[in-house]
Amino acid sequence: MRIALISDIHGNLEALQAVIAHVARQRVDLVAVLGDIVGYGADPVACTETVMTLAGQGAIVFKGNHDEAVERADPDMNAAALAAIVWTRGVLDGAHRAFLTALPLTARIDELLLVHASARHPGQWPYVMTPRDAELSLGATDARLVACGHTHVPALFSLQPNRTCVAFTPVAGTAVPLAAHRRWQIVVGAVGQPRDGSAAAAYAVLDLGQGALEPHRVPYDHQAAAAKIRAAGLPDRLASRLALGR
Amino acid sequence: MRPPRIDKGLVLDGFTLVVPLKLGGMAQIWEVTHPDHPGPLVMKIPLILDGDDPTMIVGFEMEQMILPRLTGPHVPRFVAAGDFAHQPYIVMERILGRSLFERMGEAPFPPEEVARLGLSIARAIADLHRQNVLHLDVKPANILFHRDGTAVLVDYGLACHRQLPDLLAEEFRLPIGTAPYMAPEQVLRARDDPRSDIFALGCVLYEMTTGRQPFGDPKGARGMRKRLWWDPPPPRALRPGCPPWLQEIILRCLAVEPAERYPTMAQLAYDLAHPEEVRLTPAATRTARDGRLTRLRRWLRAAGAERPAPPPVEVQAAVTPIILVAVDLSADYCTVADAVRVMAGRMLTLLPGARLACVNILKIKRLMIDESHDEEGRALHVARLVQLKAWAEPLGLPAERLTYHVLESTDPAHAIVTHARENHVDQVVMGARGQSSTRRYLGSVSAQVTAEAPCTVTVVRAAA
């Protein structure tokens, strides 16, 4: 089975549409949206509706911390994120909010666990940035593979019992074989607000049959997305960071 | 499931074990057959025992990951791999020629033979580097030769792919490699520098030239740390017959600092292919090792040395290119030659580390030159060389980044394309004539080069 792993859309419709068009060419059997559909970006309505349509076509969708913050204020959020969430609340209608609220935190597909952040405490959103974080995440589940987002930085970690966890930054366009006797923590990067120095939207295709991860980068019109953020009166930093990928 | 007992006649996923070729302590190599895969084939089977050396197991994983991605004449063709859950193995093409290890008993080799074999090996490793793979265990036993002389590199157990996870990098606290050939930075656990393979090849060239391994076969961490400051006796101290150009090449490969070696394997191959063009430094004729003070300085620096920072991206990607500049020196095209030099200068600014091969074609009517014309021919050749050097002078390049070649040929375009192909040139820069009756009748040289060259071709025109 080939699964498209899409995460951290953050109300960026230009990026989401570019990624969906790219996914359409990858012969995937399933689309998994790993949360944070809204927040930061200026198109929460269109993005939520697009994801609702994907869900209607069979996609599985998970809840992220920004999706949750629409209903329940998150005390840990920084000022810019909070401003965006307050604004987002005002534009979403009841149906959108009901959809976001009802999203599950995790799901298992055979050996694979899907979740927005670390598998350690789904709902408390710990980041998976370091090999230690990956060990904690994998330590919390018996799933051989865990796929998540949340950090906006693509990464891949490999773990074997009694061995040092190996960290790797995937290279777009180069499939990484995921050896079957190892455990893997996949962090897919962000569609709508990449933070690894590249402006292009990040996602990945996980091929469970072949045991391979195919990382992708998709260029999109980030200037248009930034212009909408400014037009909506959201903090300028949320717009300017899109071009920098930070 | 328990792994099956490895024995003659065993069938693994359709592969039948026929004859054991090597029964090592770490892995077995068997000749195998398969009805669907034409032979000859070998299967490599790791012997995994509980508490065994994990480097071996992880190395086998790396080999399973890297070998299927490699193509070309310098690697054994990958056929199949067996899963770790059942019985891990790799099946690949069997290379029928001898290994350099088997031939090393004949060392010392004549210098020409060292250059010939060294060139084959350097081209093979350069091909790996182009495919984003560092071998990191270059040694005579891992170098095989096809009957036609093409070198093939085997055993990717310590190799590293720039775009795949390096499972070996983080896991082991000790340096990994083969002691006599390991580069100083590998002793410090760096696994990301293509110039480590250049150092190892330098050790191999040294051994072929002198019959001795430059650093012996040190044991233990202290013996290996010596690699950071100790320099071997120059080849000429052991083999006075070693020509200066060969010593220059070998010692440049063996520099402790990677930045003092050749920047790329392709550039080393270029020197091995053109011994007469090797720029000689005082190192070329030295017969004594470095002075005490130099060594003391290196020793002090080595004392606290830790794993070095990753090399610059252009070094990792081995992208310091060889640029062939074809210069037409006939008086009519002076302005074009100037324009070509301007373009070459711009490229060198963009690509510091790039190397320029200045080529001039001495067009001859036919290939056979009889004796009476020989002297005249040689004078013409030398005159062209002088002109070529004068052309390059304004570039102000240090000598080691420049070579000059006057190629005699009846077909200039063919000569340029052949030189580019044989030397793995990355880019050709050449001028195009404007309108001329010659071009109308004979066709344009630059058009033919553009069509046939195996690399990027930049055609330069003089401003009208």
Side-chain angles (χ1 to χ4, degrees), chain B residues 394-414:
Chain B
L395 286 168
L397 271 189
E400 73 270 17
R401 289 178 61 193
L402 270 171
T403 52
Y404 305 97
H405 312 265
V406 174
L407 308 177
E408 294 182 9
S409 172
T410 52
D411 180 348
H414 181 73

Side-chain angles (χ1 to χ4, degrees), chain B residues 423-451:
Chain B
N423 295 291
H424 293 283
V425 162
D426 298 278
Q427 188 170 358
V428 173
V429 180
M430 64 186 300
R433 311 176 206 181
Q435 292 304 317
S436 82
S437 52
T438 340
R439 191 176 79 164
R440 217 170 304 135
Y441 294 117
L442 298 177
S444 130
V445 175
S446 59
Q448 197 186 332
V449 172
T450 309

Side-chain angles (χ1 to χ4, degrees), chain A residues 156 158 160 163-171 174-177 179-182 184, chain B residues 54 57-58 61 64-65 69 83-85 161-168 170-172:
Chain A
L156 182 63
S158 170
Q160 274 194 299
R163 297 273 190 78
T164 318
C165 185
V166 179
F168 175 66
T169 305
V171 179
T174 303
V176 184
H181 59 284
R182 286 176 171 265
W184 299 87
Chain B
I57 299 157
V58 178
E61 280 186 67
Q64 276 198 340
M65 194 158 69
R69 285 161 189 261
D83 205 302
F84 265 75
H161 192 296
R162 284 186 67 233
Q163 300 181 336
L164 294 176
D166 183 9
L167 304 173
L168 284 161
E170 301 304 326
E171 279 205 64
F172 302 102

Side-chain angles (χ1 to χ4, degrees), chain A residues 224-244:
Chain A
K228 284 184 186 174
I229 289 172
R230 292 196 177 99
L234 291 166
D236 188 75
R237 191 178 125 65
L238 297 180
S240 57
R241 69 188 304 172
L242 294 183
L244 306 170

